[in-house]
Amino acid sequence: MPWDPPALDRNQIVLFAERLDEVLPQQHSVRRMAEVLEQLDWSAWEAEYKHEGGGRPPIHPRVMSGIVLYALMRGVRSSRQIEEALQMRLDFRWLAEARSIDHSTICRFRQSHVDRLKQLFVQITLVARHAGLLSLVELAVDGTTIRASNHRSAKFKVAELSAWKEQLELRFAELNAQAEQLDQEQSAGRTQLDRQLENTQSRLAQINRAIEAVADLAADEPVPTRIPSTDVESRVTKSKEGGFAPNYTPVTVVDPESGLIAATEVIAESNEKSVLPGALDEIEATHGVRPERVLGDAIYGHSSNLQEMDERGIALHTPINDAGDNPAIRDDLTRPVPADQWDQLPTRNDQLSKEAFVFDAANNRYFCPNGKELSWNSSYHARQADGTIERHRFHARKADCSSCPLLSRCVTGKSGFRRVSRDEAEDLRDQLRQRMRSVSGQAAYKRRMIGERPFAMIKHWMGVRQFLHRGLGRVRQEWRWAATAFNLRRLLNLLAARAGPRGLLPLQRHPP
């Protein structure tokens, strides 16, 4: 039976292309990426390099950045894998112009130049803005969890740290004494003992880092139940894959129209609501515009964000408890809700919820479903993670509650009367409910899902499901590279779609 012969014998002498540029098709994506990078301004980055003669000159940051970004776009993350690709893959060799770059050089470059990388991220968004691709009229904010470089079970209970430290110190002292005795006796067995000493010393260093991490917590920051032993700056939070593990929480602000990331941040805790104001400040400082709408999930509807967005004149769209067709909302609040509508009143845990009580703003009072008044009783400042908020208590009269037919559905505890509290953001929540009930509000909120796309793409085709580096600073740098690579790939697709088969449109240089 005849078989397909080889196209070329491995031992055959061949004549390769005379130019490196001939090894890739003209429409290859790496050519389009290099074209965009060449049109950016690298002067600030170049100024950080100094070469006074002697030794090999530094590689231009455009080349190094292009290699790292293109590797991420191709799902290559490890520095050693990038080094191998530079030797074996034609697209990488074309991009690096046949340079041989070792993995340590690549690793050092990725971990340094923090400010320059931020400026590179900004330049790419400015290119998109100049090309009319980044409108920033509407923004979608979202967060996700990505595993830290820490085994999910390698974490300490805070209460046990000191006890474990004492045990390890005693064990280390015991092993050290045995080593000194072996030295005096000049006997064998020192190699195995050295390994035990090294292991104990490593575990003791992990405990000390965890203790220092607890001591460095801010005064108003809650002490975690468990501290990761390897990456002590991460936090044990709920994982997307299920269960709890040491994680970090990247947050992105996305322009739904283009799908580009406008701002990004990484935090250790899972409560990302506090990231939004700073991200909007960054966007406004970079592009000189303020969005009309911000779309986010329920966590961003916190009272502090409601007040912040109201002061900025931005319409916030987030889910909020809404009773819908609530019979408690009636023209005459002094008249009771008809008995045949009691089962339609909003409840929580089988008791009438706060939404069953209607606020009379003109007279600063509430009315219950039975038409009775709840008057102001007192005010206080409640402490929150991001500051304090003023709350007001409204109490019903005990006599009114005792004779009310809804008593069993309304009052719990021994007080015998109903309390309702209202904070200074309640008016903004009412406005949010009205906004989310509207057809335009619901249509806008559906576009929030676009804010999740960068996470799906970065995790899927970049493989960023666990960070390679440890410590919040390095993790932020690693995520910034991934976000920049995502934006660059997205920008290339948008420009290619607009330019058609002729290639990319000419771009304008932007200062960092």
Side-chain angles (χ1 to χ4, degrees):
M1 177 179 177
W3 300 100
D4 181 45
L8 184 66
D9 187 272
R10 293 192 181 98
N11 296 316
Q12 175 66 45
I13 298 176
V14 296
L15 180 64
F16 288 103
E18 295 182 359
R19 295 190 304 160
L20 183 61
D21 193 57
E22 296 176 2
V23 302
L24 291 180
Q26 289 299 318
Q27 297 301 321
H28 197 283
S29 60
V30 71
R31 293 180 183 271
R32 295 189 286 125
M33 189 205 74
E35 184 180 343
V36 171
L37 294 181
E38 287 171 358
Q39 296 179 69
L40 301 181
D41 189 339
W42 299 92
S43 57
W45 208 323
E46 292 168 351
E48 291 189 352
Y49 288 83
K50 294 181 180 179
H51 182 64
E52 299 176 353
R56 182 176 177 179
I59 302 173
H60 195 279
R62 172 182 53 79
V63 177
M64 294 297 297
S65 297
I67 292 171
V68 174
L69 293 172
Y70 183 71
L72 284 169
M73 292 164 64
R74 293 300 182 183
V76 181
R77 299 179 61 203
S78 165
S79 297
R80 292 182 182 273
Q81 291 177 337
I82 297 176
E83 179 184 7
E84 181 182 8
L86 289 171
Q87 298 172 357
M88 306 299 296
R89 291 182 52 167
L90 293 176
D91 51 349
F92 278 82
R93 286 181 59 80
W94 181 93
L95 181 62
E97 296 174 300
R99 293 181 177 91
S100 296
I101 308 173
D102 63 275
H103 63 273
S104 58
T105 301
I106 298 170
C107 185
R108 285 195 301 270
F109 180 82
R110 291 198 302 184
Q111 293 179 8
S112 57
H113 308 291
V114 176
D115 293 336
R116 299 286 84 80
L117 176 59
K118 288 182 179 179
Q119 292 169 358
L120 177 59
F121 176 89
V122 167
Q123 279 200 78
I124 292 175
T125 61
L126 288 171
V127 167
R129 178 82 175 156
H130 173 73
L133 300 171
L134 189 66
S135 67
L136 300 177
V137 174
E138 184 175 82
L139 296 175
V141 58
D142 198 16
T144 190
T145 56
I146 294 181
R147 295 196 305 272
S149 180
N150 192 109
H151 194 278
R152 64 184 303 139
S153 62
K155 45 190 180 290
F156 300 111
K157 290 183 179 179
V158 176
E160 297 174 348
L161 288 176
S162 298
W164 285 359
K165 179 180 179 180
E166 293 178 3
Q167 294 176 11
L168 287 172
E169 287 175 340
L170 290 174
R171 177 60 176 164
F172 183 79
E174 178 184 342
L175 292 171
N176 200 40
Q178 293 179 18
E180 291 177 357
Q181 183 177 355
L182 287 175
D183 287 340
Q184 293 175 1
E185 297 174 356
Q186 297 183 352
S187 59
R190 179 62 193 257
T191 302
Q192 182 178 1
L193 190 59
D194 284 342
R195 287 198 294 267
Q196 295 179 13
L197 272 167
E198 184 179 355
N199 182 49
T200 304
Q201 190 173 23
S202 175
R203 292 171 61 192
L204 184 59
Q206 290 181 348
I207 294 290
N208 286 329
R209 286 197 300 268
I211 291 175
E212 292 172 2
V214 174
D216 290 341
L217 292 174
D220 57 348
E221 185 177 352
V223 178
T225 304
R226 291 177 180 269
I227 293 290
S229 60
T230 308
D231 188 351
V232 295
E233 295 187 38
S234 64
R235 290 292 177 265
V236 179
T237 58
K238 191 173 182 179
S239 297
K240 294 291 185 181
E241 299 81 7
F244 292 81
N247 294 311
Y248 284 99
T249 304
V251 181
T252 61
V253 180
V254 179
D255 175 54
E257 184 175 336
S258 64
L260 291 163
I261 300 174
T264 188
E265 181 59 287
V266 179
I267 57 176
E269 63 274 10
S270 59
N271 191 357
E272 70 256 23
K273 65 177 184 293
S274 60
V275 175
L276 181 57
L280 294 178
D281 289 340
E282 179 182 331
I283 293 170
E284 187 170 354
T286 301
H287 300 282
V289 297
R290 180 173 293 179
E292 297 177 4
R293 293 176 298 278
V294 170
L295 321 174
D297 54 23
I299 195 172
Y300 295 99
H302 190 264
S303 57
S304 59
N305 280 339
L306 287 171
Q307 293 171 319
E308 181 76 24
M309 297 303 104
D310 181 63
E311 293 174 1
R312 295 173 184 249
I314 299 174
L316 183 63
H317 291 68
T318 67
I320 189 170
N321 293 331
D322 192 347
D325 295 331
N326 185 0
I329 301 176
R330 53 204 189 277
D331 294 333
D332 188 356
L333 297 177
T334 61
R335 298 179 62 85
V337 175
D340 60 352
Q341 297 181 11
W342 288 355
D343 291 338
Q344 301 175 26
L345 289 169
T347 59
R348 183 174 299 168
N349 299 326
D350 297 326
Q351 297 293 319
L352 292 178
S353 66
K354 181 179 177 179
E355 288 74 25
F357 296 78
V358 183
F359 185 64
D360 176 12
N363 298 292
N364 193 32
R365 58 184 177 178
Y366 274 94
F367 279 93
C368 76
N370 199 37
K372 302 300 182 181
E373 177 184 333
L374 284 77
S375 58
W376 176 86
N377 178 268
S378 60
S379 299
Y380 66 101
H381 285 86
R383 188 175 181 179
Q384 301 180 143
D386 52 356
T388 60
I389 189 169
E390 187 176 9
R391 293 185 181 275
H392 309 281
R393 293 191 182 98
F394 296 83
H395 289 189
R397 287 186 288 268
K398 192 171 184 179
D400 291 338
C401 291
S402 61
S403 60
C404 179
L406 292 168
L407 176 64
S408 61
R409 303 188 186 193
C410 184
V411 179
T412 59
K414 299 180 180 180
S415 64
F417 62 91
R418 180 62 186 257
R419 303 182 182 91
V420 173
S421 65
R422 182 181 184 86
D423 62 42
E424 54 187 332
E426 200 66 45
D427 290 336
L428 299 176
R429 293 191 187 95
D430 291 339
Q431 296 175 19
L432 177 58
R433 288 188 183 94
Q434 294 295 330
R435 191 181 306 131
M436 296 300 290
R437 287 173 188 165
S438 66
V439 175
S440 60
Q442 294 176 6
Y445 186 71
K446 288 181 180 179
R447 295 190 291 272
R448 183 194 69 86
M449 299 300 293
I450 300 176
E452 299 181 1
R453 183 181 298 168
F455 297 131
M457 300 300 290
I458 289 173
K459 290 180 179 181
H460 178 67
W461 51 257
M462 290 188 194
V464 184
R465 298 184 179 275
Q466 181 172 7
F467 287 110
L468 301 176
H469 299 98
R470 296 168 185 163
L472 184 57
R474 289 188 173 185
V475 164
R476 282 174 171 163
Q477 181 79 342
E478 183 178 349
W479 179 256
R480 180 77 66 172
W481 277 114
T484 305
F486 172 85
N487 270 1
L488 184 55
R489 176 167 172 167
R490 182 63 185 156
L491 176 62
L492 291 173
N493 291 338
L494 293 171
L495 290 173
R498 173 179 292 185
R502 295 185 178 180
L504 292 178
L505 295 173
L507 303 176
Q508 177 177 332
R509 291 170 63 90
H510 289 274

